DNA sequence: GCAGTATGTTTGTATCTCGCACAAACTTAT
DNA sequence: ATAAGTTTGTGCGAGATACAAACATACTGC
């Protein structure tokens, strides 16, 4: 099944909310007809956040009349986007039992792509977060653009062809510098072939589906928000550690993108003026202290076995087995990761941070160490609590679900 | 004239938008009647941002029908909030000349309070930003709460009594840690008498007016946004330097407050791990490098005359007069200020920064130096430009207008 | 079987924007 | 001077939406 020239479908209603909103200089008035799409989006988000929920509960949560919720969900049930579950137990005082609503498992799915230097992963993601039709491919990071595009089209095409019905859209998570507004990959240090590639336009034209692209940490954030530990949260950040350091923020119920999607390049905030030389050419970037390269160099100095193969998971194992050198290094690693989080906390006060990548393999042990150092580094307010969580689902998993979540987020324009 | 038990008036319509919106857990649906208040607010903001504007122009900017704008502004004209200006020149092709709308100079004003350790300033601010009925008073930072409250009531009462009609509300800008959600001063290091004081409740009950409080840098930000160089901008930060360092952000057309108004405590982000000891007890805070204390210590070392009286303005004068030591110190001062701005830029990518306080006294010279260092410290994108502006209006001026702007912002709940 | 209670639906109402038609006011061409 | 063209600002009905009131439904407890 292919989807060339399909009419664009929409998740939250019966009207496309694509690129049709010209930014006319900061003022935009709201029309009564726009209310429908907005409220449909909010109801869907409430369902995501809370799981199966009855109309009456939704109405209570939103502070609106039950009739309003009925009016919103009825067309969605008719469209087979939502299904009514079995009547639950009524309350102790009696009453008609509530019938919970949730997403139809047979509803259209979302296409997801994870694009890292040299590797492509594609899959389908259901509205409830299940992954299927997963495929991998490789490409030459220094090779030919046309060859890359052909590989991409073929791999994604095979994945999409396994869908029973046209997906709602395609989400792409990519490493490197992304201009998400214009759907262009600006530059990828380790894959020059991708630089300047208008991937969104290419895929949209080829598959006839809505396509959204964003950079990798932001996909992790969205994956956390829709399907992971960030579900239902209004303020948190996702932090990626590994060979590089990156991050993305969810603030006041909204993904922060900055101008042209350029916010969140945390790895190159400076935590040590005139410190170690960084790959970016500057000195003292957070990335010089919180990445695997630092960890491995330090492991060698500390005399830990196979220092080039060390990662957070093994370091935690060694520490648990009683190695003092490992414990010491782990603590210093945690401190280095904490410094950037602390600065972010001091700046935005999000209070919740989800670790991905290498640090996440260290589980609750590293999370606890990081939290303690963060609390040392920031000025805490009374009654304030900072939580550090790990999402150890494995990279591809969360990023792909996040890429799918990008499509969902794009449909549900929750902010006017 | 006193205003006890006046009915609360509203700027953007005919319904109070005070504390009546319960946060029912992230979901809130929009009602058609809510649209009215929202759109009224947006039209008012467009008028603020663009100055006197005709209905037709407003409609074009907002992308709506002219009749819609008429429907919105007509009641405001009737209420004497807006006035119709003289008909301007028609377009070259002819046509009926447009009649620009703007705020009525005789509309109610805003009360503003600037509260710093030991000093109170109060004034009235018109909707167009003019200050009048300015008063000052002092209080003992370690004294008695009741004495402080009495002084505050008396000073503010005198200012308010000069208004011809009840103001829309009172805005308070305060140094220290503020819980703007609950209207409480959490703690002020240099004025223990204020700690824990529920000032909003006290003033609201006494004067019968809506009262809003926020911390000092955020008032500067709002002052910039409504009446200063940030007018019409959608993304920028205000940076205050002096004895302390602080900042506040305007992101996507909205003041960022963080949880309970705790965002933006930039002075204590760490730019030098294990660096100089800071007043807060930690090491390497930005505040150890970007404040007057640092500047004065360095001035002494550099052999500059009267090092304890040095400030940015004098340093710039000395540098202009040819002092190499002054020029060198100025550049290092600019670099230290730049480091925190660079980290903020790397994190949020706001691209525009307005300096206040000591640095602002250095004018365009320091602004240029800071900009150059910021550009060295961050990874620039293609076509990206960073601007550093100074608002040299003098502290009280911008902060007081910002305090007034807080009231305006609070009325115009532009985000649903 | 009946009262009590909670859920979900139907019907009519209020609010708001939009498109259309039109008067008013001004410029340009004949 | 007159007519045509253009732009502004204003009534009026249509369409979309949430809300309140009333009602049918389904369960508990006596």
């Amino acid at each position: 099944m292919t989807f060339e020239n399909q009419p664009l479908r929409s998740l939250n209603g019966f009207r496309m909310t694509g690129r049709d909103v010209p930014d006319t200089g900061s003022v935009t008035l709201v029309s009564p007809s726009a209310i429908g799409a907005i409220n449909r989006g909010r109801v869907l988000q409430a369902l995501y956040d809370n799981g199966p929920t009855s109309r009456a509960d939704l109405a209570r949560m939103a502070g609106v009349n039950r009739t309003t919720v009925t009016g919103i969900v009825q067309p969605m049930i008719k469209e087979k986007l939502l299904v009514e579950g079995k009547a639950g137990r009524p309350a102790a005082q009696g009453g008609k039992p509530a019938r919970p609503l949730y997403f139809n498992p047979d509803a259209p799915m979302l296409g997801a792509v994870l694009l890292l230097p040299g590797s492509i992963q594609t899959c389908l993601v259901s509205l409830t977060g299940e992954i299927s039709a997963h495929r991998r491919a490789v490409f030459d990071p220094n090779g030919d653009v046309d060859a890359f595009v052909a590989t991409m089209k073929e791999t994604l095409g095979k994945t999409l062809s396994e869908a029973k019905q046209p997906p709602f859209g395609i989400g792409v998570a990519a490493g490197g510098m992304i201009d998400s507004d214009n759907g262009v990959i600006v530059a990828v240090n380790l894959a020059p072939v991708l630089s300047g590639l208008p991937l969104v336009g290419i895929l949209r034209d080829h598959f006839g589906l809505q396509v959204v692209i964003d950079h990798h940490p932001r996909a992790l954030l969205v994956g956390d928000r829709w399907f992971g530990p960030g579900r239902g949260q209004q303020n948190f950040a996702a932090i990626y550690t590994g060979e590089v350091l990156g991050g993305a923020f969810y603030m006041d119920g909204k993904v922060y993108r900055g101008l042209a999607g350029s916010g969140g390049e945390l790895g190159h905030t400076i935590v040590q003026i005139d410190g170690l030389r960084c790959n970016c050419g500057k000195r003292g970037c957070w990335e010089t202290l919180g990445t695997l390269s630092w960890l491995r160099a330090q492991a060698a100095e500390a005399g830990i076995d196979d220092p080039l193969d060390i990662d957070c998971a093994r370091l935690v194992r060694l520490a648990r087995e009683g190695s003092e050198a490992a414990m010491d290094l782990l603590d210093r690693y945690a401190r280095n990761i904490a410094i950037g989080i602390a600065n972010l906390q001091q700046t935005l006060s999000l209070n919740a941070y989800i670790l991905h990548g290498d640090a996440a393999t260290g589980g609750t042990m590293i999370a606890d160490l990081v939290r303690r150092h963060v609390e040392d580094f920031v000025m805490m307010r009374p009654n304030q609590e900072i939580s550090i969580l790990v999402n150890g689902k494995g990279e591809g998993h969360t990023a792909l679900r996040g890429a799918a979540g990008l499509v969902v987020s794009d449909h549900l324009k929750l902010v006017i």
Side-chain angles (χ1 to χ4, degrees), chain A residues 108-123:
Chain A
M109 305 182 84
L110 307 157
V113 177
L114 174 56
L115 178 58
L116 296 174
S119 101
I120 298 172
Q121 289 186 55
T122 63
C123 70

Side-chain angles (χ1 to χ4, degrees), chain A residues 230-378:
Chain A
R231 172 175 289 205
Q233 297 297 311
Q234 294 298 300
N235 291 281
F236 71 97
I239 305 290
Y240 176 83
T241 79
E243 301 293 349
V244 297
L245 266 175
F249 331 126
Y250 199 75
M251 288 162 40
D252 293 337
K254 201 177 142 191
V255 179
Y256 182 73
R257 288 206 162 74
L259 299 164
S262 55
E265 285 161 9
L266 298 176
H268 302 283
T269 55
I270 293 169
V271 297
Q272 188 94 47
I273 300 177
D274 304 321
L276 297 173
R277 175 74 69 183
C278 177
N279 289 328
C280 72
K282 301 186 294 163
R283 288 179 171 279
C285 296
W286 185 26
E287 196 168 295
T288 61
L289 297 175
T291 44
L292 278 174
S293 337
W294 178 90
L295 185 65
R296 285 169 182 164
Q298 294 290 314
E301 262 188 39
I304 290 176
D305 288 345
D306 294 327
L308 292 184
D309 280 336
I310 199 74
D311 61 13
C312 195
R314 186 153 77 89
L315 197 61
V316 165
R317 269 201 308 279
L318 291 173
R320 283 200 202 281
E321 286 164 8
S323 158
E324 279 190 26
M327 190 62 222
D328 175 68
L329 179 55
L330 186 65
D331 189 62
R332 288 191 293 135
Y333 188 46
R335 186 170 186 257
N336 284 353
I337 291 172
I339 188 94
I341 295 178
N343 281 353
L344 190 56
Q345 168 66 23
Q346 198 70 29
T347 304
L348 295 177
S349 197
L350 298 171
N351 285 0
Y353 302 87
I354 300 175
L355 300 178
H356 292 264
D358 179 61
T361 66
T364 55
M365 186 160 180
I366 185 104
D368 278 350
L369 290 173
V370 169
R371 182 177 50 75
R372 239 172 284 166
H373 283 296
V374 169
E375 288 178 354
D376 280 350
F377 281 137
V378 303

Side-chain angles (χ1 to χ4, degrees), chain A residues 109 112 122-126 128-135 396-402:
Chain A
M109 305 182 84
T122 63
C123 70
L124 294 170
V125 181
S126 75
T128 46
E130 278 97 45
I131 289 181
S132 58
H134 186 249
R135 283 174 183 271
H397 197 265
T398 300
L400 282 167
R401 298 214 289 188

Side-chain angles (χ1 to χ4, degrees), chain A residues 2 8 17-18 31 47 52 95 97 114 118 139 144 207 210 239 241 274 299 320 325 343 349 402:
Chain A
T2 56
L8 292 181
T17 55
S31 75
L47 280 177
L114 174 56
F139 66 94
D144 181 51
F207 291 105
Q210 187 190 6
I239 305 290
T241 79
D274 304 321
R320 283 200 202 281
N343 281 353
S349 197

